Amino acid sequence: MIKVSGLSKRYGTHLAVKDASFHISKGEVVGFLGPNGAGKSTIMNILTGYLSLTQGSVEIDGYNIMSDPELAKKRIGYLPEIPPLYLDMTVREYLYFIYNLKKVRFPKKAHIDEIIKLVRITEVSERLIKNLSKGFRQRVGIAAALVGNPDVLILDEPTVGLDPKQIIEIRDLITKLGKNHTIILSSHILSEVQAVCKRVIIINRGHIIADDTAENLSKNLSDDHSLVARIIGREDDVIAVLNSVKDVKSVSCLGELETGSRDYHIEPSEGCDIRAEVSKRLAERGKVILSLRSNELTLEQIFLRLTGEDDMRRYFEAPVNKTEESDVAEDAAASDDNEDKEEI
Amino acid sequence: MGAIYKREMRAYFTSLISYVFFAAFFAIEGLMFAAVYEAGSTTVYAIPFMYPLYLTVFLIPLLTMRTISEDKRQKVDQVLLTAPISVTSLIMGKFWACLSIYAIANAPLLIFQIIVSYHASVNWLLFLYAILGTMLLGATLIAIGIFISSLTESTALAAVLSIVANIVIMFVSSIFELIGIEALTKAASAFALLDRYTSFSDSILKLEDIVYYVTVIAVFIFLSVRSVEKRRWA
């Protein structure tokens, strides 16, 4: 459905997108993930024909965006980062305008009514757009993208600036739309991409640095099967107990996250599952486990690892929300403390 | 183009700008007509060559200042440029909308002419020349205004620049005449819009004048299209 090969975009001397290639088949829901300024919006603007490309080619359903722009654009519904709305029009007038602009052939009123119902803006459909809240404006933007029922939807940060309830509603809507549309959405919020998209393309400084399903990314990159445990008891004792467990390679204390307990990072020998043994041994020695979880990488950590934001990575990997009195924790994590606090 | 035209017309009629525009034109045309009528003259066709001309220079930028700059500022250009229409039809939609407003502003001239025709025989051909000249002049200034609007995101700046440009292109030969450089005056009168315009008022329909106007309009429409497209390549 969408074929991008060797795409580059240069702004003067600045190369915003470097040699990006990917292929999105019909019906896929793909998330573009990347920090602000990574080039997500630039790529989307090129896909929709708003910006030109410096090198490479973009094909939408077989139509080249540069040589057949009108046919390619007809297949795309685009929601830019800031919904492009005429504030002096009512919602219905605006959607009728978009309908005429896109030269849609469906029965006008029925088509627009259906979209209004789908994105749930019925109650504001006769109001001026300038009087609508951010959440409703965002939905009007999505409605405009849906006019003409294009096969491809490109949504640039569709939930930015919305409250949690609206975010959930928009996500549900996107999931619903994903059933019969090809969707690309961008976000710098990782949980959002995880919630809605099966496939994730991670972009940093104009490069595509990963392109896979969220699960695969997490599987491939989390090389260790280490555990994080929260245990009550004296630090020395607990470390001694943990070290006595077979197949434990190393143990380090991460500090006090909850009063009265400490968190420990336990690394097993290659390919060993030590959870049962750890829990048994600690119980025998009267150490209470408050929690025990495997240290699989979340999308956040994958993202930071891939984008190589080292300071940020330490922030996520090492606990930082320690209280002032926990100055006992003098391990590796603590040494990053000052830096991390500044970042917060 | 139809969608853009409709949307622009709607925007004019729901904002104050077009009403200010109409009020100014209607008032001055009405005053002129009263004077002409009082004097017992039938030269209604000559009205547009009098004071409304000076009004045009200042008022057309009011219409054109927001055409493209406002879209850019509000980021609405993203929806327009990603829609399956060409940039040319986008610009033309806006151009025809401006021209329609300008035509409505000049509509009273027709009414005046009809009123006069009850009392005396009028030369409709002369009237037609005058209207044609007026429309061509307006269309030229609109094309220039749209081009200037495509250069900036600020509507105020677009208005000011358009007024300056209009004054220069309209009165360039008069300005040189004032300074007293004869060669330049002669050269400038070849392309000064006003000099072309007055030939219509002299009731001479010259093909070269029409060609001149249409060419200037086409050039500025073309430049506007390039200017909007240029942003894609920036």
Side-chain angles (χ1 to χ4, degrees):
Chain A
M1 198 75 198
I2 302 171
K3 214 167 113 187
V4 174
S5 30
L7 175 68
S8 296
K9 173 74 187 173
R10 184 185 289 277
Y11 290 112
T13 55
H14 171 66
L15 205 52
V17 180
K18 289 167 221 162
D19 197 30
S21 298
F22 53 89
H23 188 277
I24 296 172
S25 19
K26 205 174 163 69
E28 266 192 297
V29 180
V30 178
F32 277 2
L33 195 60
N36 289 327
K40 301 180 301 268
S41 296
T42 304
I43 292 181
M44 291 188 146
N45 278 331
I46 293 171
L47 290 183
T48 52
Y50 180 62
L51 290 179
S52 71
L53 39 84
T54 312
Q55 237 167 42
S57 78
V58 173
E59 273 180 29
I60 311 285
D61 202 12
Y63 295 103
N64 190 303
I65 194 78
M66 298 308 285
S67 52
D68 287 316
E70 290 184 27
L71 288 167
K73 284 175 185 174
K74 229 178 155 57
R75 284 157 178 80
I76 303 174
Y78 181 34
L79 171 73
E81 199 170 347
I82 301 156
L85 305 170
Y86 278 116
L87 301 181
D88 57 350
M89 292 175 116
T90 69
V91 172
R92 187 174 287 279
E93 280 168 348
Y94 177 68
L95 293 178
Y96 280 168
F97 164 66
I98 299 290
Y99 176 97
N100 292 335
L101 189 68
K102 289 190 180 175
K103 300 171 197 153
V104 182
R105 293 269 170 262
F106 303 121
K108 192 168 176 173
K109 192 171 182 304
H111 181 58
I112 299 296
D113 280 344
E114 194 190 319
I115 290 169
I116 286 178
K117 224 171 107 188
L118 181 69
V119 299
R120 292 201 270 165
I121 47 175
T122 317
E123 70 266 36
V124 297
S125 63
E126 305 304 333
R127 282 174 57 187
L128 284 178
I129 293 175
K130 69 173 154 212
N131 296 331
L132 297 185
S133 67
K134 176 94 177 80
F136 273 121
R137 285 186 192 188
Q138 196 77 18
R139 279 192 224 194
V140 175
I142 295 179
L146 286 172
V147 171
N149 201 15
D151 296 329
V152 180
L153 288 178
I154 296 181
L155 311 172
D156 197 354
E157 309 209 342
T159 60
V160 85
L162 303 183
D163 68 38
K165 187 169 163 279
Q166 293 168 327
I167 289 180
I168 292 169
E169 282 175 3
I170 297 277
R171 273 188 206 164
D172 288 345
L173 177 65
I174 294 170
T175 313
K176 204 154 93 185
L177 292 170
K179 283 175 190 145
N180 40 23
H181 292 87
T182 307
I183 299 182
I184 302 179
L185 72 89
S186 77
S187 182
H188 57 261
I189 307 161
L190 306 127
S191 56
E192 177 164 293
V193 170
Q194 216 162 10
V196 189
C197 308
K198 293 216 173 59
R199 182 171 152 202
V200 183
I201 294 178
I202 300 180
I203 301 163
N204 191 37
R205 296 193 187 131
H207 283 292
I208 292 187
I209 50 177
D211 178 357
D212 211 331
T213 62
E215 297 95 69
N216 276 350
L217 282 174
S218 138
K219 216 182 285 168
N220 295 344
L221 284 161
S222 50
D223 36 14
D224 60 334
H225 298 280
S226 58
L227 304 175
V228 175
R230 184 167 297 172
I231 301 163
I232 299 179
R234 272 195 51 204
E235 191 180 326
D236 301 349
D237 291 352
V238 174
I239 290 182
V241 173
L242 288 172
N243 274 326
S244 71
V245 177
K246 191 173 155 255
D247 291 328
V248 168
K249 209 162 114 192
S250 70
V251 178
S252 61
C253 181
L254 301 175
E256 183 170 348
L257 287 178
E258 196 181 317
T259 321
S261 70
R262 296 239 150 69
D263 279 25
Y264 299 88
H265 180 260
I266 311 162
E267 208 185 319
S269 309
E270 196 76 24
C272 297
D273 188 355
I274 53 166
R275 284 172 299 176
E277 197 58 30
V278 163
S279 140
K280 211 168 102 190
R281 192 66 62 87
L282 285 166
E284 279 169 14
R285 302 290 176 86
K287 307 291 178 209
V288 180
I289 303 176
L290 295 180
S291 76
L292 179 69
R293 61 181 170 82
S294 69
N295 194 23
E296 253 181 35
L297 289 180
T298 61
L299 204 47
E300 253 91 358
Q301 289 162 326
I302 296 171
F303 176 66
L304 294 172
R305 202 165 269 198
L306 286 170
T307 53
E309 313 275 320
D310 271 319
D311 293 342
M312 291 285 284
R313 186 158 97 199
R314 267 179 267 152
Y315 164 67
F316 273 101
E317 286 184 346
V320 286
N321 43 347
K322 281 177 248 168
T323 47
E324 282 303 310
E325 61 265 28
S326 70
D327 43 3
V328 221
E330 292 294 339
D331 63 348
S335 64
D336 294 330
D337 223 354
N338 290 333
E339 267 177 72
D340 293 332
K341 269 180 187 148
E342 276 169 25
E343 280 170 22
I344 299 163
Chain B
M1 188 163 88
I4 303 281
Y5 176 80
K6 252 159 84 180
R7 139 79 212 163
E8 289 293 309
M9 287 303 275
R10 202 195 152 279
Y12 281 126
F13 281 99
T14 51
S15 73
L16 202 60
I17 289 176
S18 58
Y19 296 101
V20 171
F21 191 78
F22 291 150
F25 267 90
F26 292 172
I28 197 115
E29 281 160 2
L31 279 172
M32 302 269 54
F33 176 63
V36 169
Y37 196 68
E38 196 77 357
S41 166
T42 59
T43 55
V44 169
Y45 66 86
I47 289 177
F49 304 103
M50 295 186 264
Y51 293 102
L53 187 65
Y54 301 97
L55 216 55
T56 310
V57 172
F58 292 96
L59 287 182
I60 283 195
L62 266 189
L63 287 185
T64 57
M65 64 179 182
R66 44 159 294 285
T67 42
I68 296 172
S69 60
E70 182 85 349
D71 286 351
K72 230 188 302 185
R73 200 170 56 80
Q74 287 192 10
K75 305 259 178 215
V76 196
D77 59 340
Q78 274 186 312
V79 81
L80 303 177
L81 295 177
T82 59
I85 57 161
S86 65
V87 179
T88 311
S89 60
L90 168 70
I91 303 284
M92 286 314 285
K94 287 173 184 284
F95 172 77
W96 287 121
C98 284
L99 194 59
S100 302
I101 297 289
Y102 178 69
I104 295 170
N106 282 295
L109 295 176
L110 181 65
I111 301 169
F112 300 156
Q113 185 77 334
I114 291 168
I115 294 171
V116 172
S117 72
Y118 279 106
H119 305 295
S121 69
V122 291
N123 190 336
W124 284 96
L125 197 64
L126 284 186
F127 179 71
L128 210 67
Y129 285 178
I131 292 296
L132 181 68
T134 308
M135 282 297 125
L136 283 173
L137 178 77
T140 310
L141 297 186
I142 287 169
I144 294 170
I146 289 178
F147 170 63
I148 289 172
S149 179
S150 76
L151 298 177
T152 168
E153 279 184 32
S154 153
T155 49
L157 186 62
V160 172
L161 287 178
S162 302
I163 291 172
V164 173
N166 287 356
I167 291 174
V168 170
I169 198 162
M170 287 281 281
F171 307 118
V172 63
S173 59
S174 321
I175 294 168
F176 283 129
E177 205 175 354
L178 213 64
I179 304 171
I181 314 171
E182 203 174 315
L184 279 175
T185 312
K186 221 169 162 190
S189 72
F191 66 89
L193 283 181
L194 189 66
D195 296 40
R196 296 276 167 190
Y197 187 50
T198 39
S199 77
F200 283 92
S201 70
D202 294 340
S203 316
I204 310 160
L205 191 62
K206 279 194 283 185
L207 186 65
E208 58 175 271
D209 293 334
I210 297 176
V211 170
Y212 173 77
Y213 277 124
V214 173
T215 312
V216 174
I217 294 167
V219 164
F220 277 98
I221 298 270
F222 174 75
L223 287 177
S224 310
V225 172
R226 300 312 297 169
S227 157
V228 169
E229 272 180 353
K230 187 211 86 194
R231 287 170 16 92
R232 298 179 57 208
W233 299 91

